[in-house]
Amino acid sequence: MRLLRCHIENFGVLSGFDYEFESGLTVICRENGFGKSTLAAFLKAMFYGLPRTGARTAANNERKRYEPWQGGKYGGFLEFSHGDTSYRVTRYFGKTAAKDSFEIYDLTNRTKETAFSEKLGEELFGLDAESFARSTFVPQLAARELEATSSIRAKLTNLVDDTNDMNNFDTAMAALRAYRSERKAYRGSNGEIDRLAEELRALEDERFRAEGKRPELESVLREIDAQNAQQAEKTAELALVRADIQKAAGQRERQLKQKQLEELRAQAEKQDEMLRALREKYPDGLPAAEEIRRQRENVISLRQLEKRQGTLVLSMEDRQVIEEGAPLFSDRVRVADDLDRLEAGQRELAALSIGNRAVMPEEETEQLEKYTRIFHFRLPDDAEISEKQQDCRRIAELRAVRDAKQAQKNEKKRPGSAKIAILALGALLLLAGIGCLVAEKLSLGIAAVVLGALSLAAALLWKKPLQAEDGADEELRQIGQLQDGVTAFLLQFYPDASRPDEQLVQLRLNKDAYLRLREKEERLAKERQAQQVQIDALTAEIRAILSRYGLADSAQALSQAVRALRERASQYAHVQERAQQLGAERQDAERQAQAHTDELAAFFAKYRLSGQTDEQLIEQAEQDAHAFDAAGTASKEAKTRLADFLRENAELSEAASQEESLDMAALQEKETQTQRELAAQEDALRQLRQRRDSLRREIEKLPALEDELAELDETRKALQKQCELADLTMDYLTRAKDTLANSYVGRVEQGFVRYADALLGEKIGHVMLDRELHLFIDEQGAARDAASFSAGTVDGVMLCMRLALVDALFQKEQPFLLLDDPFVNLDDEATCRALSMLRELAKQRQVVYLTCNTARI
């Protein structure tokens, strides 16, 4: 391709700048501050536009940096050739990308239809803006910036033009990263996995709290067992103390033991009696906790249904609507038929309304009034009009004869000139007559043609002057009489008679129009009368229907009465439907209430509960169940104590002779203390049992929590596996891309060696490129980065890299090469070689070389 010319309206420091590029080497040598770098940036902007966003400072933001210094329209156009076709691309820029404009024109075929779009640079070069800036566009102070972008790698491996794989790679990587980020964000905790983890943590906390109750429950159970054991120990201790008291008191001891035995038996019998009473009260067994819970739910549901039944009734207004509307609207079929007929009647009345009735248009009415004013005196006959038109033609003929005689009289004095005048007059009259005939003024046209013919005939037959002055006076008298008759006739219809020929023709036309409009008015009057008869019949029918609903004598208009009837019928139907719905809901509520009542009655009958409210009976059943459990436990404990006491007392009785003397007072004090401790333990046991029941209810929630945790954990594991697959896929894609990138490095490396030999000679040793196009040079036995060398060497190396990269990127059609003073740091010898190399390059492609020093051209 080749640049042809450019026009810069305003761009940075440049304003109103035009330039035509040469086909080979174009050298632009201007002073510092002229705007060479601005021109280079403008050429790049014409292909790629300006970035949408950027840094806040103008130095790093091209849109701010190249805003026109002097103001004005921001942009211009560039003409270039591609293949056999020339194009003009025009871009203007605003403060933001949304205000930018783009246009491309095919100069060769003179059309706006082209194969290019706003992404002109990418479509022409197969490179994005960043890659273009690192290849064919070499701006000043940017020669060291060279690395392989995705676009450059794709172009080098012929993927952009063939398969677009690199774009697909970027798209796939972006999609995979988005897919992976949705599940687990690279930073923060916004992914689905993190959200599930939060839910799992919350459930784990809840489960942990519930699980935390297990140790407490176990602790409570152990405490109960310990308390029972301690109680047993205390009981045993008490028995020993009492045995000692018995030993110390002799007979009194036996009495006390007997009393204690009786007390133990009484306690056991008391608990057994309580158990027997509860068994007698509940011969079929006491209710289980689940039964009691179920009956509590029945009572709650029954109370809710009772409240609901209180709301399922019609309001006073609705009941009044049904009472008043039932006689009128209960027959829905008849009401629907009446409403349909009323609406049909209204539509027919609307069709016959004033706006649609047989009325003559306003324009025709005005015309009829105008014609009525014209013919208010009388209506002329066609014969009269024809007669007056004949008089007008006669007047014209007499005037022509009179004029001819006058001309003959004048000819007596100048016979030659008179004949010529008559000939000219005849010719003019003929022409005027023909013009009148063309304009459809028949009477005037015929009269003028006749007079013209007569004038020409008189001039041709001219021999001597006429001697008929007396005849001319007679003609004047006839003309006057005829004019007076025509004027008098026309003044009957018009205010003046200055144009008799035209007015007579118009009078005939006005008469015909008047007769036609009057006939139409009479016909329309008959139609209006027939329409009124239909309107009266429809109105009577509508009123008859409305009278059945008490609306016929309403002061409302018929349309309002019909609307009111429909609203009342609709309201009645709506309320009736709501009443039916409420009835169905009441029946359903009653069925549900009856089911709950039956279940409660069966429960109460089964366990023989009565005499109190349902809530009280259920509470009593629950208390009895707890009391039965407590009595059973207490009975076992009492029997255990009794058996222990009997066993212990049997042993004491055998060893009574060998017992030592004991302190009675101390033993009695110890007995009292042990009894107090046993009572305290009983209170502690009761509280522990209550706590045990509460903990058991909380732990029952654990199975549901376990199920929900398992489901969330499975979901989290599935998402984590998807993340792992996405990471693995991205890793494989990156490896494949890197493998592909290695294929083009050799081609660029070979081109670099060729250019480096021409520009730098033996200054550069062995070179090596990595797949990111980073250059390393062997120096003193080590591969060193190119930036380690001098500025001049680095500029030369990077220029050779640029040229090698362009050769590798564009192997078919060569693009232009834009160099913005890249030889600043080269010495004289290197500069000469570089310029020589540019001239050789210009034989193969267009080169635009910008510089500020004549020594470098």
Side-chain angles (χ1 to χ4, degrees):
M1 67 167 295
R2 188 169 74 84
L3 303 179
L4 300 178
R5 72 186 188 97
C6 71
H7 168 74
I8 301 178
E9 186 78 18
N10 289 289
F11 196 84
V13 69
L14 296 176
S15 177
F17 178 78
D18 292 275
Y19 194 84
E20 292 189 7
F21 299 93
E22 298 179 12
S23 59
L25 177 62
T26 297
V27 178
I28 301 177
C29 182
R30 299 296 296 266
E31 69 279 3
N32 288 328
F34 164 73
K36 297 183 298 301
S37 298
T38 301
L39 173 60
F42 172 81
L43 296 177
K44 174 172 168 283
M46 285 299 102
F47 288 107
Y48 289 95
L50 291 176
R52 301 180 65 86
T53 58
R56 295 184 179 180
T57 60
N60 297 322
N61 188 327
E62 291 187 19
R63 190 176 293 273
K64 290 183 179 180
R65 180 180 181 184
Y66 294 112
E67 283 183 356
W69 292 14
Q70 64 286 336
K73 206 170 183 180
Y74 184 7
F77 68 79
L78 171 67
E79 293 181 359
F80 65 93
S81 64
H82 178 68
D84 297 330
T85 308
S86 298
Y87 300 92
R88 172 186 288 181
V89 56
T90 303
R91 289 184 190 262
Y92 285 97
F93 308 100
K95 293 287 186 181
T96 62
K99 297 182 180 180
D100 291 354
S101 65
F102 169 83
E103 185 180 38
I104 186 167
Y105 188 78
D106 186 335
L107 298 174
T108 302
N109 299 311
R110 304 292 180 178
T111 178
K112 290 185 177 182
E113 300 295 330
T114 69
F116 300 113
S117 67
E118 194 170 350
K119 297 182 178 180
L120 177 61
E122 296 180 14
E123 293 165 352
L124 276 173
F125 307 118
L127 300 172
D128 56 22
E130 181 184 4
S131 303
F132 175 79
R134 297 183 181 187
S135 57
T136 62
F137 175 49
V138 187
Q140 188 178 12
L141 302 178
R144 295 173 177 83
E145 297 178 1
L146 180 65
E147 63 181 15
T149 64
S150 295
S151 181
I152 289 176
R153 285 195 294 269
K155 184 70 176 177
L156 286 169
T157 53
N158 294 322
L159 293 176
V160 169
D161 295 330
D162 296 338
T163 64
N164 203 24
D165 279 348
M166 190 55 69
N167 287 336
N168 291 339
F169 168 79
D170 293 337
T171 303
M173 290 295 287
L176 285 169
R177 281 192 291 270
Y179 175 83
R180 198 261 194 197
S181 297
E182 288 178 359
R183 283 143 184 82
K184 184 171 181 62
Y186 288 97
R187 292 183 179 179
S189 57
N190 297 325
E192 185 70 14
I193 293 176
D194 295 322
R195 186 188 65 77
L196 288 176
E198 287 294 329
E199 293 185 17
L200 282 169
R201 279 194 290 274
L203 288 175
E204 285 286 355
D205 291 343
E206 186 176 356
R207 187 184 67 173
F208 178 76
R209 288 192 296 272
E211 285 286 355
K213 303 296 183 180
R214 287 186 186 274
E216 185 178 356
L217 176 61
E218 294 174 357
S219 176
V220 169
L221 292 174
R222 287 193 299 270
E223 184 68 20
I224 290 174
D225 293 339
Q227 289 290 338
N228 286 330
Q230 291 177 7
Q231 192 176 39
E233 291 177 0
K234 288 294 181 183
T235 302
E237 183 180 352
L238 181 61
L240 291 175
V241 171
R242 287 174 178 172
D244 290 341
I245 290 174
Q246 288 177 353
K247 291 179 181 179
Q251 183 64 35
R252 184 170 178 268
E253 178 181 358
R254 287 191 296 272
Q255 292 176 352
L256 289 176
K257 287 183 179 181
Q258 184 65 32
K259 183 179 179 181
Q260 186 177 1
L261 179 61
E262 291 175 356
E263 289 178 355
L264 290 174
R265 287 173 177 171
Q267 290 178 1
E269 289 177 358
K270 179 181 179 181
Q271 299 300 327
D272 290 341
E273 183 64 27
M274 185 179 296
L275 289 173
R276 283 194 299 271
L278 289 173
R279 288 192 182 99
E280 291 175 357
K281 186 176 181 181
Y282 297 94
D284 295 330
L286 278 85
E290 179 62 25
E291 288 184 277
I292 295 172
R293 183 192 63 77
R294 174 62 183 169
Q295 301 312 314
R296 285 188 187 279
E297 292 178 354
N298 284 333
V299 170
I300 293 172
S301 300
L302 192 58
R303 298 296 176 262
Q304 292 176 346
L305 288 171
E306 290 174 354
K307 291 181 181 179
R308 183 184 174 195
Q309 286 175 343
T311 62
L312 298 176
V313 293
L314 285 175
S315 65
M316 184 66 71
E317 292 80 2
D318 290 343
R319 290 198 297 272
Q320 184 177 359
V321 169
I322 291 179
E323 291 174 1
E324 294 177 355
L328 299 175
F329 305 110
S330 58
D331 188 353
R332 294 190 178 184
V333 176
R334 179 178 61 81
V335 172
D337 292 341
D338 289 344
L339 287 172
D340 292 341
R341 182 55 194 146
L342 287 173
E343 291 184 352
Q346 281 187 306
R347 288 194 296 271
E348 293 178 14
L349 281 177
L352 297 171
S353 62
I354 298 301
N356 296 325
R357 298 179 67 181
V359 178
M360 197 159 55
E362 183 179 354
E363 181 180 356
E364 293 184 353
T365 301
E366 294 176 355
Q367 290 179 354
L368 181 59
E369 292 176 356
K370 183 183 74 172
Y371 295 146
T372 303
R373 289 193 298 270
I374 293 175
F375 300 111
H376 73 281
F377 181 74
R378 70 185 183 90
L379 191 66
D381 295 333
D382 290 341
E384 290 183 271
I385 296 174
S386 299
E387 180 183 353
K388 298 306 176 184
Q389 287 178 328
Q390 186 63 34
D391 290 345
C392 287
R393 288 192 289 273
R394 178 61 181 162
I395 290 171
E397 292 173 358
L398 290 172
R399 283 177 175 170
V401 172
R402 179 175 174 275
D403 291 340
K405 289 181 179 180
Q406 184 65 34
Q408 289 177 357
K409 182 178 179 181
N410 294 334
E411 185 65 20
K412 184 176 180 181
K413 297 178 181 179
R414 292 177 296 166
S417 61
K419 185 174 182 179
I420 294 172
I422 292 172
L423 286 171
L425 178 61
L428 290 174
L429 287 173
L430 281 174
L431 292 175
I434 294 171
C436 290
L437 291 174
V438 172
E440 296 184 355
K441 296 182 179 180
L442 300 179
S443 58
L444 289 176
I446 293 172
V449 170
V450 171
L451 291 175
L454 292 173
S455 298
L456 290 175
L460 294 173
L461 297 174
W462 178 277
K463 294 220 188 236
K464 59 181 179 179
L466 299 176
Q467 303 292 328
E469 295 183 1
D470 295 337
D473 293 335
E474 178 62 22
E475 291 164 356
L476 284 175
R477 183 183 62 76
Q478 292 181 12
I479 290 171
Q481 290 178 351
L482 293 172
Q483 283 182 336
D484 291 342
V486 171
T487 300
F489 177 75
L490 289 174
L491 288 176
Q492 297 179 35
F493 310 103
Y494 301 112
D496 66 82
S498 58
R499 297 172 287 104
D501 293 306
E502 297 180 8
Q503 288 174 318
L504 287 171
V505 173
Q506 187 63 41
L507 184 62
R508 185 185 297 277
L509 295 174
N510 290 345
K511 174 190 173 185
D512 294 341
Y514 172 69
L515 292 174
R516 184 177 66 258
L517 290 174
R518 191 169 67 181
E519 179 184 0
K520 183 176 181 180
E521 174 63 21
E522 293 173 355
R523 176 173 52 80
L524 291 177
K526 292 179 181 179
E527 291 180 6
R528 287 196 298 272
Q529 185 177 4
Q531 288 175 349
Q532 188 60 43
V533 171
Q534 294 178 356
I535 291 172
D536 294 342
L538 286 172
T539 303
E541 182 181 1
I542 292 174
R543 289 189 180 278
I545 294 173
L546 292 175
S547 65
R548 291 203 291 271
Y549 300 94
L551 296 174
D553 298 331
S554 175
Q556 298 176 328
L558 290 180
S559 60
Q560 295 177 344
V562 172
R563 190 181 307 111
L565 176 60
R566 178 168 289 281
E567 290 175 355
R568 287 180 59 191
S570 175
Q571 183 184 17
Y572 174 80
H574 178 68
V575 173
Q576 185 68 22
E577 182 180 353
R578 186 160 65 249
Q580 293 175 355
Q581 182 179 359
L582 291 175
E585 291 180 4
R586 281 197 304 274
Q587 292 178 359
D588 181 63
E590 290 172 359
R591 284 194 299 271
Q592 294 181 23
Q594 188 61 43
H596 294 307
T597 302
D598 292 343
E599 189 173 350
L600 283 169
F603 175 80
F604 296 147
K606 176 180 177 181
Y607 296 105
R608 294 179 175 83
L609 298 173
S610 62
Q612 294 178 324
T613 64
D614 296 345
E615 291 86 347
Q616 291 172 342
L617 291 176
I618 293 172
E619 183 67 26
Q620 178 185 345
E622 187 175 21
Q623 292 176 357
D624 289 344
H626 289 313
F628 183 82
D629 292 339
T633 303
S635 175
K636 291 179 181 179
E637 293 173 353
K639 290 178 180 179
T640 301
R641 289 195 299 271
L642 179 59
D644 293 341
F645 179 77
L646 289 174
R647 184 173 57 255
E648 292 172 359
N649 285 334
E651 295 175 355
L652 288 173
S653 62
E654 295 176 355
S657 60
Q658 301 177 0
E659 290 179 351
E660 297 180 357
S661 61
L662 298 174
D663 186 354
M664 178 65 73
L667 289 173
Q668 289 177 344
E669 179 65 26
K670 185 176 181 180
E671 180 187 22
T672 303
Q673 178 65 29
T674 304
Q675 287 178 339
R676 284 198 295 268
E677 291 177 358
L678 281 172
Q681 286 177 344
E682 185 66 27
D683 292 338
L685 277 171
R686 185 169 52 256
Q687 294 177 359
L688 287 171
R689 293 186 188 106
Q690 292 176 354
R691 180 58 181 164
R692 175 195 62 191
D693 296 339
S694 174
L695 291 173
R696 281 176 176 172
R697 285 193 294 270
E698 293 186 18
I699 292 173
E700 288 175 354
K701 301 177 183 177
L702 277 172
L705 290 174
E706 293 288 349
D707 293 341
E708 189 172 359
L709 276 169
E711 183 179 354
L712 286 178
D713 189 55
E714 287 296 327
T715 304
R716 183 184 62 177
K717 289 178 180 178
L719 289 174
Q720 287 175 341
K721 187 173 182 180
Q722 292 173 4
C723 278
E724 293 171 0
L725 288 174
D727 290 336
L728 187 60
T729 303
M730 287 188 287
D731 182 56
Y732 284 151
L733 284 175
T734 303
R735 292 182 186 179
K737 181 197 69 173
D738 293 341
T739 301
L740 187 62
N742 293 329
S743 64
Y744 58 74
V745 173
R747 191 161 64 244
V748 178
E749 192 174 73
Q750 293 172 3
F752 170 78
V753 171
R754 185 174 67 256
Y755 285 113
D757 289 343
L759 179 63
L760 302 174
E762 298 179 354
K763 292 182 179 180
I764 299 298
H766 181 70
V767 297
M768 181 183 68
L769 287 177
D770 64 9
R771 60 171 172 256
E772 299 298 331
L773 297 185
H774 293 151
L775 182 66
F776 298 92
I777 303 173
D778 286 346
E779 183 68 22
Q780 296 182 358
R784 304 183 184 278
D785 188 271
S788 303
F789 293 84
S790 66
T793 302
V794 170
D795 283 355
V797 167
M798 288 307 167
L799 177 61
C800 294
M801 277 294 295
R802 291 278 184 161
L803 297 176
L805 181 60
V806 171
D807 288 345
L809 286 173
F810 305 97
Q811 298 181 4
K812 295 179 181 179
E813 182 174 357
Q814 295 293 330
F816 68 93
L817 186 64
L818 180 60
L819 303 176
D820 184 6
D821 217 351
F823 308 141
V824 174
N825 296 314
L826 297 185
D827 56 24
D828 293 343
E829 181 182 355
T831 300
C832 291
R833 289 183 179 181
L835 293 175
S836 176
M837 185 171 62
L838 281 188
R839 296 186 185 95
E840 290 297 322
L841 287 173
K843 297 177 181 180
Q844 301 174 1
R845 62 168 63 93
Q846 185 182 30
V847 178
V848 179
Y849 172 44
L850 307 174
T851 184
C852 63
N853 195 327
T854 57
R856 292 196 291 271
I857 60 175

